[in-house]
Amino acid sequence: MTAVTDQDHDRGHTEPAEDGAAESVPEETEETEEAEEAEEVEEAKESEEAEACGAETDVAAAKEAGTDGDGGHARVEDDTAGGDSGTAWDDGLIARRVNENAGEQAPPVVERRASTKQTPTTLAYDGVLRSRLDALRELVGLSRTRLDSRTLAEAGRVLDEAAARRRLSGQHTVIAIAGATGSGKSQLFNALAGVTISETGVRRPTTAAPIACSWSDGAAALIDRLGIPPRLRRRPAGQHADAEGQLRGLVLVDLPDHDSAAVQHREQVDRVLALVDAVVWVVDPEKYADAMLHERYLRPMAGHAEVMFVVLNQIDRLPGEAAEQVLDDLRRLLDEDGIALGEYGEPGATVLALSALTGDGVGELREALGQFVTERGAAARRISADVDAAGWGLRPVYATSRRTGLSEEARDEFAARLADAVGATAAGEAAERAWLRNANRACGTPWLRLWRWYQDRSEPSTGRLPLRTQADEEATARQRVEQAVRTVAERASAGLPTPWAQAVREAAVRGSQGLPEALDDLAGRAGLPPGRPPRPGWWPAAVLVQASMTLLQVVGGLWLAGQIVGVMAPNLGVPVLLMVAGIIGGPLVEWSCRMAARGPARRYGMDAERRLREAAAGCGRARVLDPVAAELLRYREVREQYGRVMGVGVG
């Protein structure tokens, strides 16, 4: 322990006014070294442990200073005070600067962990937002098998972030301060906090990691979600925390430069901007029109205007009315970006001009932030804007300006093409001919049937058209089926967004596999029934009459033959009359039966054609049209869900 000499003691009492400051220099130097050692230890520990270590170091320093005499006692008090100031938390990243206002600013207060666990009120979404989130969740579920994961990634992220934010405090509003290099965002951050928290200076980049400042307790989980460690969490100056109750619930985050040369800085900006409830964009008169700011951030976030502040900083550098001119030009650029401006009571972004250096306009921003935080609606508006952005991103894969679906005309045309491929018309005609042929066999004269049989036997095969082979017919039928499937697929997918049109075509192609074979099988089972066609009730009478005509011819002929031979008495009138009646009556009966058989034959052929058409249509409907209709129904369902997500009705 260092002893205090009498000379030093006398000097300390004889020259208190002139040399007091000089005498305290070595003591302050010793105290500063001890504080720096404590700060280096605190960088690797939690804030509470760091403060405890700092307190122990201060006590040890006070004991080493000695207690001899009055001067020694005064020294212990000075060292204790210096220890208290030395325990002010410093993360080691913030440069220690000495400026003319250093003596007036209070040290930043490190956020302490509460001794008792607090359960802040969680965020509650209103009915409209809950309905939109449920619709988005349903939309993603219905689309997973039709759309790739990259297309649905943003929607899934919005759902995850909405669920995560809902579990956290609804009494706090997280606002990020973002800006370009040299815009003065850290200076504005310090001005709002009332104490130097974030480092400012000419070195670029200055802010290397996000720093959070909370105006009330219970925001630890929110800050944890941002990935900000405890060593980078602050509380505003004591007098500001007490005087500014309007900012209670505010969590302010100072971000690195969005145009920083360090890639990891830009990545941190993008990550935190996707998680905060609102953002304050800080621009300066030189870079307020920077293309990177507008194209990469402001324009894509145009839908988030209600949770956005745009602040023109450093207006103290602009002479006269130049500040208003620059502010008007900034409003023009924001309007070109599609950002609605909150003017005349309309919802939109708040645009202000201020100087963080002189404090001009900072009070107006503080008042606007206080009102914004007091409403407790920023988180819900941010989630709603995220849902809007995700919905607009999905618009190309859900929305269409054309009427979609498969018309009855297209369905009938598809069934007709399949019927032609299976030969329904030819089968009906064959059935009609079979009926007529059977009628001719039953009601025709025996002599005419014998003559036709003889002609069929004696007619040579030369000169006839060659019959098509079965292989040729099958190939032609397959081509017709494939053409019918392609046509109905194109009509069903017309006007659909690309993924759903592709799904409809794939469903049609899958259904067409094995369709020609199935149609052939149906044609064999649904075509002509086995055996002869059914006979009408009048056929037996016609057969009896035809037999009578034949019998008359036979009797007349035998009678004449008997007269010629001399067996019977000559009488030509009766046998000739009998033969003429039989010869004329037989063809007349046959012609009458043929005329009478045309109607039933046509109906029989039409029934056969109808059965085959129905069978072909049923097969095509089960294999092609039903899968296509299922895809169209799924698309209508997701389109309705998409309309709910966007808050509009879908016709």
Side-chain angles (χ1 to χ4, degrees):
M1 184 180 252
T2 305
V4 180
T5 60
D6 294 337
Q7 184 179 0
D8 294 336
H9 180 75
D10 295 339
R11 185 183 304 164
H13 286 275
T14 55
E15 298 176 332
E18 292 123 15
D19 297 333
E23 184 68 17
S24 62
V25 170
E27 296 176 0
E28 292 176 359
T29 302
E30 180 180 358
E31 293 166 3
T32 302
E33 293 176 355
E34 293 170 354
E36 291 176 354
E37 292 177 359
E39 290 166 357
E40 293 177 357
V41 174
E42 289 166 353
E43 290 179 1
K45 298 181 178 180
E46 297 290 335
S47 59
E48 293 178 350
E49 296 175 358
E51 291 174 1
C53 293
E56 293 175 0
T57 305
D58 295 337
V59 173
K63 291 181 179 181
E64 289 179 2
T67 57
D68 296 339
D70 296 338
H73 180 71
R75 235 172 137 176
V76 170
E77 294 178 352
D78 292 341
D79 288 345
T80 303
D84 290 338
S85 62
T87 58
W89 202 92
D90 192 351
D91 60 2
L93 297 175
I94 303 176
R96 305 171 181 86
R97 302 185 303 117
V98 179
N99 52 46
E100 58 186 2
N101 298 326
E104 300 176 1
Q105 293 179 343
V109 180
V110 181
E111 182 179 359
R112 300 175 181 269
R113 294 184 178 179
S115 58
T116 60
K117 184 177 180 180
Q118 298 181 353
T119 56
T121 305
T122 57
L123 180 63
Y125 298 144
D126 58 18
V128 176
L129 182 55
R130 285 199 305 270
S131 177
R132 296 182 64 192
L133 290 172
D134 293 340
L136 182 60
R137 188 176 298 105
E138 184 71 16
L139 180 68
V140 172
L142 290 172
S143 305
R144 288 193 185 279
T145 58
R146 300 298 179 269
L147 304 179
D148 57 83
S149 57
R150 291 179 298 177
T151 304
L152 299 174
E154 179 61 19
R157 186 197 68 80
V158 171
L159 290 173
D160 293 340
E161 296 302 336
R165 184 63 180 90
R166 187 176 184 179
R167 292 190 294 266
L168 301 177
S169 173
Q171 304 300 316
H172 292 80
T173 302
V174 183
I175 302 179
I177 296 184
T181 302
S183 60
K185 55 183 178 55
S186 297
Q187 195 173 34
L188 178 60
F189 180 79
N190 295 335
L192 292 173
V195 64
T196 301
I197 294 178
S198 187
E199 178 186 5
T200 61
V202 297
R203 181 172 60 86
R204 297 290 181 266
T206 304
T207 305
I211 301 175
C213 181
S214 175
W215 266 256
S216 59
D217 296 330
L222 281 171
I223 304 178
D224 290 340
R225 179 169 172 256
L226 303 180
I228 300 178
R231 63 186 183 86
L232 296 180
R233 303 180 187 182
R234 301 290 187 273
R235 295 296 295 270
Q239 63 270 26
H240 283 266
D242 297 335
E244 297 183 4
Q246 59 179 351
L247 295 182
R248 181 172 181 81
L250 172 63
V251 178
L252 202 60
V253 181
D254 185 23
L255 297 179
D257 303 330
H258 69 75
D259 59 349
S260 174
V263 177
Q264 61 271 23
H265 293 181
R266 300 196 300 269
E267 292 176 349
Q268 290 186 71
V269 171
D270 295 341
R271 179 183 59 82
V272 176
L273 283 179
L275 301 176
V276 296
D277 300 329
V279 58
V280 177
W281 290 102
V282 182
V283 298
D284 62 86
E286 293 181 358
K287 301 172 68 175
Y288 71 92
D290 182 47
M292 180 178 181
L293 170 65
H294 289 267
E295 295 177 2
R296 184 176 179 182
Y297 293 102
L298 294 181
R299 198 167 300 162
M301 296 182 65
H304 295 72
E306 294 188 26
V307 291
M308 186 184 301
F309 295 79
V310 182
V311 175
L312 176 63
N313 193 17
Q314 304 177 11
I315 60 173
D316 56 289
R317 298 169 52 191
L318 299 175
E321 298 180 353
E324 287 297 330
Q325 295 176 357
V326 173
L327 191 62
D328 290 341
D329 193 48
L330 175 60
R331 290 194 179 98
R332 179 186 62 82
L333 293 175
L334 295 176
D335 183 68
E336 292 178 356
D337 292 335
I339 298 177
L341 303 182
E343 300 176 342
Y344 310 108
E346 296 293 331
T350 301
V351 182
L352 299 173
L354 54 80
S355 173
L357 180 63
T358 63
D360 185 17
V362 175
E364 184 179 358
L365 174 61
R366 185 180 290 110
E367 181 180 354
L369 290 177
Q371 182 179 358
F372 184 77
V373 172
T374 303
E375 293 175 356
R376 301 288 189 264
R381 290 200 294 267
R382 170 60 194 263
I383 296 299
S384 180
D386 287 345
V387 172
D388 288 337
W392 281 107
L394 293 174
R395 181 176 178 80
V397 298
Y398 291 117
T400 177
S401 59
R402 296 179 55 182
R403 185 177 182 85
T404 61
L406 198 58
S407 64
E408 288 298 327
E409 180 183 357
R411 293 173 180 269
D412 294 341
E413 182 179 350
F414 176 68
R417 287 175 178 270
L418 292 185
D420 292 341
V422 81
T425 303
E429 294 174 353
E432 183 178 355
R433 289 193 301 269
W435 178 280
L436 292 174
R437 186 166 54 252
N438 194 24
N440 291 335
R441 289 175 180 176
C443 304
T445 61
W447 323 116
L448 187 59
R449 291 201 303 270
L450 183 62
W451 173 252
R452 288 173 180 170
W453 174 81
Y454 174 76
Q455 282 186 334
D456 291 338
R457 291 287 305 271
S458 61
E459 184 178 357
S461 59
T462 58
R464 293 183 178 181
L465 294 176
L467 297 177
R468 299 183 62 182
T469 63
Q470 185 178 2
D472 294 338
E473 293 180 355
E474 291 180 355
T476 303
R478 183 178 297 274
Q479 292 174 359
R480 290 180 178 178
V481 171
E482 292 176 353
Q483 179 63 28
V485 171
R486 284 195 298 268
T487 301
V488 75
E490 290 300 327
R491 291 196 175 187
S493 61
L496 290 176
T498 302
W500 300 98
Q502 181 66 24
V504 168
R505 287 191 290 267
E506 290 177 355
V509 171
R510 286 194 303 268
S512 66
Q513 297 176 357
L515 182 58
E517 292 78 5
L519 291 175
D520 291 340
D521 182 61
L522 284 175
R525 290 187 287 107
L528 294 177
R532 294 181 178 182
R535 297 182 178 183
W538 53 265
W539 274 23
V543 172
L544 181 60
V545 173
Q546 190 65 265
S548 300
M549 295 299 104
T550 303
L551 183 61
L552 289 176
Q553 296 178 38
V554 172
V555 171
L558 292 176
W559 197 338
L560 287 176
Q563 290 181 5
I564 294 173
V565 175
V567 176
M568 298 182 67
N571 186 4
L572 296 176
V574 176
V576 171
L577 183 61
L578 291 176
M579 289 185 63
V580 171
I583 293 172
I584 296 175
L588 184 60
V589 172
E590 181 181 358
W591 179 82
S592 300
C593 290
R594 183 178 297 178
M595 291 299 102
R598 282 187 177 182
R602 186 177 296 110
R603 288 193 296 271
Y604 180 72
M606 292 177 63
D607 289 341
E609 181 180 354
R610 177 184 53 80
R611 288 194 302 270
L612 197 54
R613 286 183 178 276
E614 290 178 353
C619 183
R621 181 172 56 254
R623 288 178 171 267
V624 178
L625 294 184
D626 287 350
V628 169
E631 290 297 333
L632 293 175
L633 179 60
R634 181 184 292 270
Y635 170 70
R636 283 193 291 269
E637 290 177 355
V638 299
R639 191 176 61 175
E640 291 176 358
Q641 295 297 333
Y642 178 76
R644 291 178 56 198
V645 170
M646 301 304 295
V648 296
V650 179

